[in-house]
Amino acid sequence: MVDEHMSRRRLLAAVALSSSITGCTSVFEGESGATPSGNSATSVEVTEALTGISNPWGLAFLPDESGLLVTEQAGRLLLTDPKTGDRTALAGIPDVYARGQGGLLDVTLHPDFNSNHLVYLTYSVADEGGSTTRVGRGRLERDQGQIADFEPIYTARPFVESDGHYGSRAVFDTEGYLYVSVGDRQFKNFGPDHVAQLRDNDLGSVLRLHDDGSIPDSNPFVDDPGASGAVFTFGNRNPQGLAIHPETGAVWETEFGERDGDEINILEKGGNYGWPVADNSCGYGTDDPVGVPHEERADVVAPVYGWACGSGGFPPSGTTFYDGEAFPDWRGDLFIAGLAKRYLAHFTVDGREVTEIEPLLADRDQRIRDVVASPVSGHLYAAVDADNAPIYRIAPDE
């Protein structure tokens, strides 16, 4: 049955790729692949579930699909009803540093949300030393229209004089660990002393925490007095996507390169993902590689898929694995929000083999910031990165 299902998915990928247009490059094979034209083997209907949202960044459905939480980068958390378009701006949200790429960023729910109603937010904050990424949590009180008892639970160190590269996604894995991504804050000293290569800080990394923000004893560097115990992986440039594989439970991550060099990674405990000493980016405005290819260093983990310098890049933001009922042929597939390329990318996944097939929303020509699958209907919802934005619903065309 498994072989038959995978063969059918490969056939769908081949059909979609037969009408391809522009190119992208695999960082492993070095061959020109294709970004398909959008003639999907699965017929879909796209509607605007919500309109008039201001720079939405993160999406999270309540488990019964009775509401969709939406973060607006300027600092509002909305509880919306995609069926009616109604929305409430929730009280109790922390103050955020909404400049540059900062603000109110991701939102996710505790695995036991049905009993504890805990909502987690990532956001940027500032003090006299600059700004950084923080994660906190509070309790959704729907009838009162608020997040009650909100508290910060972890603050990435150090604060930096930069308004860029905060990360920042948050996701719980199947064991209840909380992963939070933190960007490299745009440090440009491309060498072994770059902050993403130094484990004494939280920058350019993915953190692993308990649900209260404390550091697990099983983290890879917790016994190293010179390292941040919260770090799970490092050498990550600006990770804006985290998703849990529905079958393996592995954490998948997407991150921006410099000029191109964007990546899809599978996170390994203690892994060094190379930035900037091993990378497939070029420096902005040049054709000069930032680092050596991943394959030339045995101490780094290579991406499972990437956009090499000269490919035009992507770059990838929010991501989700599809495991719903509405699109049976898409189960196990990966969807990634595309910013500069302005579409929702669709990939089939077979182990570590990742293949891009038909894009979604390419005809809209809009920056896509996040994507989530509804837990009951199985429809996909995608947030547009704009100051007067829609959130699209993607459903079967029946």
Side-chain angles (χ1 to χ4, degrees):
M1 179 64 71
V2 172
D3 291 341
E4 179 180 317
H5 177 61
M6 291 311 304
S7 296
R8 180 172 49 135
R9 287 175 58 195
R10 292 191 187 99
L11 175 61
L12 289 175
V15 169
L17 284 169
S18 67
S19 57
S20 61
I21 47 175
T22 58
C24 63
T25 304
S26 165
V27 298
F28 299 111
E29 300 175 359
E31 299 175 352
S32 291
T35 301
S37 65
N39 295 327
S40 171
T42 301
S43 182
V44 303
E45 178 185 34
V46 177
T47 56
E48 292 184 347
L50 296 164
T51 58
I53 308 296
S54 177
N55 294 104
W57 214 95
L59 305 174
F61 266 102
L62 302 187
D64 61 359
E65 205 174 298
S66 63
L68 173 65
L69 290 167
V70 181
T71 62
E72 292 184 323
Q73 197 168 353
R76 289 203 309 172
L77 177 63
L78 305 180
L79 178 58
T80 72
D81 184 344
K83 295 179 181 178
T84 65
D86 293 341
R87 78 278 315 262
T88 298
L90 298 173
I93 306 306
D95 292 334
V96 304
Y97 180 74
R99 296 185 186 177
Q101 297 175 13
L104 184 58
L105 303 174
D106 206 15
V107 55
T108 195
L109 305 183
H110 192 281
D112 297 325
F113 175 84
N114 283 335
S115 58
N116 63 28
H117 307 295
L118 286 176
V119 174
Y120 289 72
L121 299 173
T122 68
Y123 52 104
S124 55
V125 294
D127 70 5
E128 64 277 3
S131 62
T132 193
T133 303
R134 177 174 286 169
V135 59
R137 68 178 185 178
R139 189 176 65 258
L140 175 63
E141 293 183 346
R142 189 167 188 169
D143 292 343
Q144 285 71 43
Q146 67 176 353
I147 300 293
D149 303 321
F150 189 88
E151 60 176 344
I153 61 171
Y154 192 88
T155 301
R157 299 291 178 179
F159 284 69
V160 172
E161 292 286 353
S162 168
D163 293 340
H165 290 197
Y166 294 96
S168 161
R169 292 291 169 188
V171 68
F172 281 93
D173 72 3
T174 56
E175 297 180 355
Y177 291 114
L178 173 64
Y179 295 78
V180 179
S181 65
V182 181
D184 73 342
R185 307 306 312 283
Q186 296 178 313
F187 276 87
K188 294 296 185 183
N189 56 330
F190 295 158
D193 293 329
H194 189 277
V195 292
Q197 288 295 310
L198 301 177
R199 295 193 295 275
D200 62 352
N201 67 85
D202 294 316
L203 309 183
S205 67
V206 177
L207 313 178
R208 185 171 72 165
L209 307 168
H210 287 304
D211 63 354
D212 62 357
S214 61
I215 296 172
D217 292 339
S218 57
N219 273 12
F221 308 115
V222 73
D223 294 325
D224 182 348
S228 168
V231 169
F232 187 74
T233 67
F234 62 104
N236 306 110
R237 183 173 180 266
N238 190 27
Q240 284 199 4
L242 291 174
I244 306 301
H245 192 287
E247 295 178 359
T248 68
V251 184
W252 287 52
E253 174 255 20
T254 61
E255 65 181 74
F256 296 11
E258 178 88 351
R259 177 185 162 218
D260 308 336
D262 310 311
E263 298 176 359
I264 304 173
N265 294 301
I266 303 175
L267 299 189
E268 299 176 10
K269 181 179 178 180
N272 178 1
Y273 286 79
W275 176 254
V277 295
D279 195 71
N280 292 281
S281 301
C282 287
Y284 286 128
T286 77
D287 291 324
D288 300 329
V290 172
V292 302
H294 291 83
E295 305 87 80
E296 294 186 14
R297 290 187 57 144
D299 61 338
V300 301
V301 182
V304 294
Y305 190 94
W307 291 261
C309 179
S311 68
F314 188 56
S317 190
T319 182
T320 193
F321 279 98
Y322 187 77
D323 197 29
E325 299 295 329
F327 299 101
D329 291 332
W330 290 358
R331 288 191 195 122
D333 290 357
L334 184 67
F335 291 86
I336 300 178
L339 294 169
K341 279 298 179 70
R342 305 171 78 87
Y343 66 81
L344 179 62
H346 181 184
F347 298 85
T348 59
V349 176
D350 185 2
R352 296 179 65 88
E353 181 180 341
V354 179
T355 304
E356 185 172 6
I357 57 170
E358 78 281 7
L360 298 168
L361 306 178
D363 59 326
R364 308 295 167 123
D365 191 32
Q366 293 169 308
R367 288 164 54 88
I368 311 300
R369 176 63 71 179
D370 198 17
V371 58
V372 66
S374 53
V376 178
S377 67
H379 299 159
L380 282 173
Y381 286 75
V384 170
D385 180 31
D387 59 7
N388 183 16
I391 293 177
Y392 291 119
R393 178 192 296 111
I394 302 170
D397 185 12
E398 297 174 346

